[in-house]
């Protein structure tokens, strides 16, 4: 077993680390407070190839592997978790289904513009009454005179307010459950497609989270992604891969919290000694560092399974990585505030932001409960006779 990063992975780590330190970290507080979308970051990341990390050169992508992608999201999230999820949702959730299920024409038209960051993408399966129950979609698509007519509302859509392209699910046949679900590509500016309510969130405040509203929105017949009825399969395939991105985001936030807490522990004096000299603090630091390292191994392993394309494996390991890294991030950011004491509870220090930012990683792209469902059904299958 070789734990060494390749030259390319090492290079991505260094580049994203420097970018996060020099550009993201100093501006993260500003974007958290103003809730502005960090366009300046997205533009620079586009130039760095980070808006199309794993997609091939023929579609203008950077052609890197999934471990490099996970490392990039981890390092970016260490500087700014909002920027981390903007990159992750764009790459994993919008570009992936177009790349894996799109026609050549769809890839040329959409993927080639999304990989460069010229266009931003979002992914919509969640609805007011369909979150974990991905097949409970009520948005409909009806084929009339060579156009799909979309009606319904999606909510909690990351990048929703800024996206040029949305990939969404809609029911094309009622009464047959998940088999009636299909996937579509919708362009911004299509009549009947609008952005609804913008969410005012606990954390990742600089990422745009909105409703998408479809009111008799007519899109070309050719904007069906995959075949009619394949929507659920495409959604599951996309989420199985995408969860590695969120796991990497959680890991980056946790690492940022440890960075701050360990430095502070060395500098903060109480009882005439740095608090790092007290065992209570040392034990917290030890647990934080150990859980972060275990998360990192799971995240990189899941990303490595994505490289192999072994579906069974990456479905299980990306769910494990997301579950463990997100819950680790929650525990680590909690402890970071504890180490900072009263100061940690104020907005003068970044650890309260890390705590707020980490919370969503246990919810989006499948709650921790859904990850446990995916993992257990996968594991139990191994023991079926
Ligand atoms: N990959 C491919 N196929 C899958 C799959 C996966 N990961 N998981 C399930 N399927 C298939 C099943 O094999 C089954 O196929 P058949 O009908 O041919 O037998 C079908 O899909 C339905 O499976 P199941 O009955 O298990 O579906 P459920 O509706 O019970 O849901 C879960 C399964 C809960 C795992 C799924 O709905 C899910 O992942 N939900 C979470 C969605 C989510 O992450 N939401 C967050 C919003 S996105 S930010």
């Amino acid at each position: 077993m070789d734990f060494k990063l390749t030259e390319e992975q090492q290079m991505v780590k260094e580049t994203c680390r420097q970018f996060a330190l020099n550009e993201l970290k100093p501006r993260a507080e500003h974007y958290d407070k103003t809730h502005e979308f960090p366009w300046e970051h997205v533009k620079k990341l586009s130039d760095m190839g980070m808006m199309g990390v794993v997609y091939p050169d023929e579609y203008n992508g950077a052609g890197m592997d999934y471990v490099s992608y996970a490392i990039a999201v981890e390092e970016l999230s260490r500087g700014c978790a909002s920027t981390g999820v903007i990159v992750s949702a764009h790459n994993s959730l919008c570009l992936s289904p177009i790349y894996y299920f799109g026609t050549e024409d769809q890839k040329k038209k959409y993927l080639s513009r999304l990989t460069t960051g010229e266009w931003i993408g979002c992914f919509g399966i969640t609805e007011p009454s369909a979150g974990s129950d991905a097949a409970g979609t009520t948005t409909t698509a009806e084929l009339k005179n060579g156009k799909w007519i979309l009606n319904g509302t999606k909510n909690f859509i990351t990048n929703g307010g800024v996206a040029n392209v949305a990939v969404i699910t809609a029911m094309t046949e009622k009464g047959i459950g998940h088999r009636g679900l299909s996937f579509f590509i919708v362009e911004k500016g299509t009549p009947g497609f609008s952005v609804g309510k913008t969410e005012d969130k606990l954390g990742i405040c600089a990422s745009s989270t909105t409703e998408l509203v479809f009111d008799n929105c007519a899109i070309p017949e050719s904007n069906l992604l995959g075949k009619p009825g394949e929507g659920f399969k495409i959604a599951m395939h996309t989420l199985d891969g995408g969860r590695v991105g969120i796991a990497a985001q959680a890991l980056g936030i946790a690492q940022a919290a440890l960075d701050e807490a360990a430095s502070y522990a060395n500098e903060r004096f109480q009882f005439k000694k740095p608090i790092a000299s007290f065992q209570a603090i040392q034990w917290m630091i030890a647990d934080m560092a150990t859980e972060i390292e275990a998360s990192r191994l799971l995240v990189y392993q899941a990303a490595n399974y994505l490289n192999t394309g072994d579906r069974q494996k990456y479905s299980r390991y990306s769910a494990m990585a997301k579950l463990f890294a997100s819950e680790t991030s929650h525990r680590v950011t909690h402890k970071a505030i504890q180490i900072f004491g009263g100061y940690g509870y104020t907005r003068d220090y970044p650890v309260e932001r890390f705590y707020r930012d980490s919370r969503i990683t246990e919810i989006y792209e499948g709650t921790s409960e859904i990850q446990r469902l995916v993992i257990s059904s996968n594991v139990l299958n191994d023991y079926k006779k």
Side-chain angles (χ1 to χ4, degrees), residues 93 123-127 130-136 155-158 178-179 232-240 243 246 311 315-316 322 363-367 369-371 373-374 377-378:
L93 299 185
F123 167 91
I125 63 169
T126 302
E127 298 187 355
S132 296
D133 181 8
N155 71 344
F156 301 145
I157 307 305
T158 304
H178 70 85
R179 289 192 180 85
F232 192 76
K233 194 178 93 183
I234 297 175
M236 291 300 110
H237 183 278
T238 304
L239 288 167
D240 280 343
R243 285 169 182 153
I246 300 306
R311 188 67 203 286
S315 175
R316 177 191 300 202
K322 182 180 180 292
I363 298 169
Y364 56 20
E365 292 191 38
T367 59
E369 292 69 32
I370 289 290
Q371 306 313 319
L373 202 73
V374 171
S377 76
N378 212 302

Side-chain angles (χ1 to χ4, degrees), residues 3-246:
F3 290 100
K4 245 176 72 194
L5 299 182
T6 64
E7 232 172 79
E8 180 176 84
Q9 291 159 357
Q10 195 57 49
M11 187 267 293
V12 169
K13 194 173 181 69
E14 247 337 282
T15 310
C16 290
R17 179 84 200 108
Q18 284 314 312
F19 182 74
L21 266 179
N22 300 329
E23 311 262 350
L24 302 183
K25 196 175 167 191
R27 306 279 292 147
E29 185 188 342
H30 163 81
Y31 284 112
D32 176 60
K33 284 193 172 144
T34 60
H35 296 204
E36 284 167 25
F37 187 81
W39 282 112
E40 57 171 334
H41 297 159
V42 173
K43 290 205 167 77
K44 287 178 185 163
L45 287 165
S46 301
D47 295 340
M48 289 161 66
M50 290 301 128
M51 300 309 272
V53 183
V54 299
Y55 303 98
D57 184 46
E58 62 178 304
Y59 303 114
N60 302 328
M64 293 189 233
D65 75 320
Y66 280 97
V67 175
S68 300
Y69 170 60
I71 291 171
V73 175
E74 173 193 350
E75 290 300 338
L76 298 176
S77 303
R78 195 169 166 183
C80 170
S82 294
T83 303
V85 76
I86 291 164
V87 169
S88 178
H90 173 87
N91 274 277
S92 294
L93 299 185
C94 181
L95 278 63
S96 164
I98 299 176
Y99 178 61
Y100 286 107
F101 297 94
T103 61
E104 199 47 42
D105 283 350
Q106 289 170 339
K107 288 184 208 179
K108 284 211 177 92
K109 179 166 182 195
Y110 296 108
L111 198 59
S112 300
R113 287 180 170 127
L114 288 158
T115 48
T116 60
E118 178 193 340
W119 281 359
I120 305 292
C122 70
F123 167 91
I125 63 169
T126 302
E127 298 187 355
S129 57
S132 296
D133 181 8
T137 304
T138 58
T139 296
T140 56
E142 233 185 310
L143 191 58
K144 276 189 192 158
N145 306 322
K147 298 255 186 193
W148 288 103
I149 314 297
L150 305 174
N151 277 294
T153 300
K154 300 287 176 184
N155 71 344
F156 301 145
I157 307 305
T158 304
N159 292 344
V162 295
N164 306 81
V165 176
V167 289
I168 65 140
T169 50
M171 278 292 173
T172 44
E173 196 174 341
K174 285 185 190 150
I176 55 169
H178 70 85
R179 289 192 180 85
L181 205 61
S182 303
F183 237 101
F184 298 91
I185 306 174
V186 191
E187 284 182 40
K188 184 180 182 172
T190 308
F193 174 29
S194 59
V195 173
K197 180 186 171 211
T198 297
E199 300 298 341
D200 188 8
K201 309 184 298 283
L202 175 72
I204 55 160
C205 294
S207 82
S208 161
T209 308
T210 69
E211 280 180 340
L212 302 180
V213 182
F214 303 94
D215 180 10
N216 284 318
C217 169
I219 57 168
E221 189 174 356
S222 57
N223 277 27
L224 174 75
L225 190 54
K227 296 193 183 81
E230 272 190 352
F232 192 76
K233 194 178 93 183
I234 297 175
M236 291 300 110
H237 183 278
T238 304
L239 288 167
D240 280 343
R243 285 169 182 153
V244 171
I246 300 306

Side-chain angles (χ1 to χ4, degrees), residues 273-292:
K273 287 180 188 167
I275 59 171
S277 66
F278 299 111
Q279 202 173 45
I281 303 294
Q282 291 164 359
W283 286 15
M284 279 197 262
I285 296 286
D287 289 344
M288 291 159 84
T290 305
E291 288 189 53
I292 287 172

